Amino acid sequence: MSLIDHYAQQLDALKQQGNLRQFTANRQQGRRIQIGGRQMLNLASNDYLGLASDIQLREQFFDETPNAQRWMSSSSSRLLTGNFPEYEQLEASLSRAFHGRAALLFNSGYHMNIGILPALSDSKTLILADKLVHASMIDGIRLSAAKYVRYRHNDLHHLAQLLQKYHEDEAFERIIVVTESIFSMDGDETDLAELVRIKKQFSKVMLYVDEAHAVGVRGAQGLGCAEQYGVIDEVDLIVGAFGKAMASIGGYLICHPVIRAYLINSMRPLIFSTALPPVCMAWTDFIFQKVLALNPQRQHLQRISQSLRQVVAAKGFDCPSSSHIVPVIIGESQKTVEKAQALQAAGFYIMPVRPPTVPQGSSRLRISLIASIEQAELDQLAALL
Ligand SMILES: *Cc1c(COP(=O)(O)O)cnc(C)c1O
């Protein structure tokens, strides 16, 4: 067997299970996506507020930003010469919005999650993580020297039991509890107020909450579930990503200033990677200022999400979601792919999500609702499910 045959066989096996992944060429215009000559409403991106697809926003931004300020590369990490004013401005904006807490930017949500956890952990650290946290946090945990225990998904009672058990254990000087606020595949959410209440009973515990799917869409100003539940000051480490509702790129951390300074001295993906182009930071700040004022769109998104979730549940599907991410859990991969193809033929671009992204036997359609969807479109989608 040649070296290449080994990989070819594995690809064949994936194909037989209906789990082969491939890139798809597409063209996009506004909310619409064109694939293979077919125009569809795009319900597979994470552009929840429609800001990434809004051409007027881009025009306004570029009109306001002269070429001299459009740096397309920062040409080094921030610790060398990459720390352009756009970085400090965006961090200052975040800090102002998040009650004066410190803010730190990263090249992506993935960099952020694989970098922060290893930097803050050593062999005297225990990480307790929700069973369904995003792959980037799993990778961060794997890169760390911490001991790692998972708690049952969204089972805060189980978490409290584990905290009771390990908090007295002298092997651990600190415990980091890791979760998402809105989960990316089930669209369900952590009870952050209860999580904070539990954490406060234990002195060695820090909370790490990933708001990638909540920033922009939750809270009066779109700062995420931490704002919605009034716990911005109580979550030790709030992280989020700008690539979803925020229509940009990068990750951010809201934390204590000492943690920020420590990460600048220890976090490898921050130290050893070229910082994003300054123009991206300027764009993120531009979008961030807009997002603060989009509460009507957020409320609309909540209303239409609730109505779609009711339809999905009424059709007999399991519907764990309480957000704008609405999974339709079918089970078998091949069936899920076929259902997605039927919806696409009807003009709705919805993608199947299969293992290993989700557990075996829980393949699903993942509907990402967007604030600009109209009632008639929603009714038509509902009828097709
Ligand atoms: C998308 C996502 C990330 C990764 O963010 P990127 O900026 O896309 O790298 C991290 N965490 C969660 C929960 C996500 O959904």
Side-chain angles (χ1 to χ4, degrees):
M1 190 167 68
S2 80
L3 287 171
I4 293 295
D5 283 345
H6 166 74
Y7 301 107
Q9 279 178 4
Q10 307 212 15
L11 286 173
D12 280 344
L14 285 174
K15 192 168 185 180
Q16 302 222 323
Q17 296 151 17
N19 288 336
L20 185 70
R21 298 163 185 235
Q22 280 170 302
F23 291 138
T24 310
N26 74 67
R27 291 269 179 284
Q28 301 189 36
Q29 198 177 24
R31 317 180 302 152
R32 308 226 144 246
I33 186 164
Q34 188 183 335
I35 295 171
R38 186 187 282 147
Q39 283 273 351
M40 295 167 282
L41 179 64
N42 188 354
L43 294 179
S45 86
N46 301 309
D47 185 20
Y48 306 127
L49 296 172
L51 302 178
S53 62
D54 184 338
I55 190 151
Q56 281 167 356
L57 280 178
R58 263 174 276 161
E59 282 169 355
Q60 189 193 343
F61 173 72
F62 283 113
D63 286 349
E64 287 175 6
T65 313
N67 266 341
Q69 280 173 33
R70 294 183 198 170
W71 287 82
M72 306 306 285
S73 175
S74 60
S75 302
S76 82
S77 102
R78 285 179 76 188
L79 283 163
L80 297 176
T81 61
N83 191 36
F84 284 73
E86 287 83 351
Y87 271 87
E88 303 210 322
Q89 276 157 22
L90 177 55
E91 286 180 346
S93 295
L94 286 165
S95 190
R96 255 194 317 280
F98 284 91
H99 304 183
R101 299 189 68 197
L104 183 60
L105 299 168
F106 311 102
N107 285 0
S108 73
Y110 187 80
H111 276 81
M112 157 189 102
N113 282 334
I114 65 165
I116 298 173
L117 290 169
L120 297 183
S121 301
D122 59 14
S123 61
K124 293 186 172 133
T125 306
L126 172 69
I127 294 178
L128 294 177
D130 185 285
K131 185 89 198 315
L132 292 189
V133 293
H134 190 262
S136 54
M137 282 172 272
I138 302 284
D139 293 355
I141 293 165
R142 283 188 186 153
L143 286 170
S144 79
K147 180 179 156 69
Y148 163 43
V149 177
R150 290 194 193 192
Y151 61 92
R152 286 190 294 273
H153 175 54
N154 242 339
D155 186 342
L156 297 186
H157 186 65
H158 187 208
L159 172 64
Q161 281 175 345
L162 291 172
L163 283 170
Q164 238 127 36
K165 172 169 166 198
Y166 288 110
H167 199 260
E168 302 312 316
D169 189 334
E170 296 195 347
F172 301 118
E173 290 178 356
R174 67 199 68 76
I175 300 176
I176 306 176
V177 173
V178 175
T179 186
E180 286 169 47
S181 58
I182 296 177
F183 284 85
S184 51
M185 288 303 139
D186 284 359
D188 55 348
E189 61 193 277
T190 302
D191 181 346
L192 279 191
E194 175 65 6
L195 186 60
V196 163
R197 198 192 63 77
I198 292 170
K199 167 217 124 117
K200 282 183 170 167
Q201 300 168 6
F202 302 95
S203 58
K204 292 200 276 197
V205 177
M206 292 195 286
L207 278 185
Y208 184 100
V209 178
D210 186 336
E211 297 250 50
H213 293 280
V215 65
V217 305
R218 289 296 182 88
Q221 298 190 94
L223 302 177
C225 292
E227 182 194 17
Q228 182 184 359
Y229 296 108
V231 294
I232 283 180
D233 299 298
E234 268 100 10
V235 177
D236 306 86
L237 304 142
I238 302 175
V239 296
F242 293 123
K244 285 151 184 162
M246 302 291 287
S248 187
I249 175 85
Y252 64 90
L253 165 68
I254 305 299
C255 62
H256 191 283
V258 168
I259 298 282
R260 181 179 186 275
Y262 186 78
L263 289 173
I264 293 169
N265 284 275
S266 58
M267 179 172 156
R268 296 173 66 85
L270 181 67
I271 299 170
F272 297 110
S273 184
T274 301
L276 289 178
V279 72
C280 296
M281 298 300 108
W283 166 254
T284 306
D285 199 22
F286 172 86
I287 290 287
F288 184 62
Q289 303 307 328
K290 305 267 178 209
V291 161
L292 294 172
L294 294 183
N295 207 32
Q297 284 84 337
R298 283 187 273 280
Q299 289 180 345
H300 174 67
L301 186 60
Q302 301 251 23
R303 277 194 298 274
I304 55 175
S305 305
Q306 187 183 14
S307 114
L308 181 64
R309 293 194 307 263
Q310 282 166 352
V311 168
V312 170
K315 304 233 169 195
F317 294 101
D318 237 8
C319 192
S321 171
S322 58
S323 72
H324 55 289
I325 298 168
V326 183
V328 180
I329 300 172
I330 292 175
E332 213 185 294
S333 292
Q334 200 53 46
K335 264 195 196 152
T336 310
V337 170
E338 283 160 17
K339 187 70 191 167
Q341 283 165 348
L343 289 166
Q344 291 169 15
F348 293 98
Y349 193 60
I350 292 168
M351 288 182 71
V353 182
R354 294 163 282 175
T357 307
V358 294
Q360 288 291 341
S362 75
S363 286
R364 69 207 47 205
L365 305 170
R366 180 175 180 275
I367 306 176
S368 274
L369 276 179
I370 50 174
S372 61
I373 194 168
E374 287 157 20
Q375 189 60 48
E377 293 166 330
L378 206 59
D379 293 343
Q380 198 197 343
L381 172 60
L384 289 165
L385 285 177

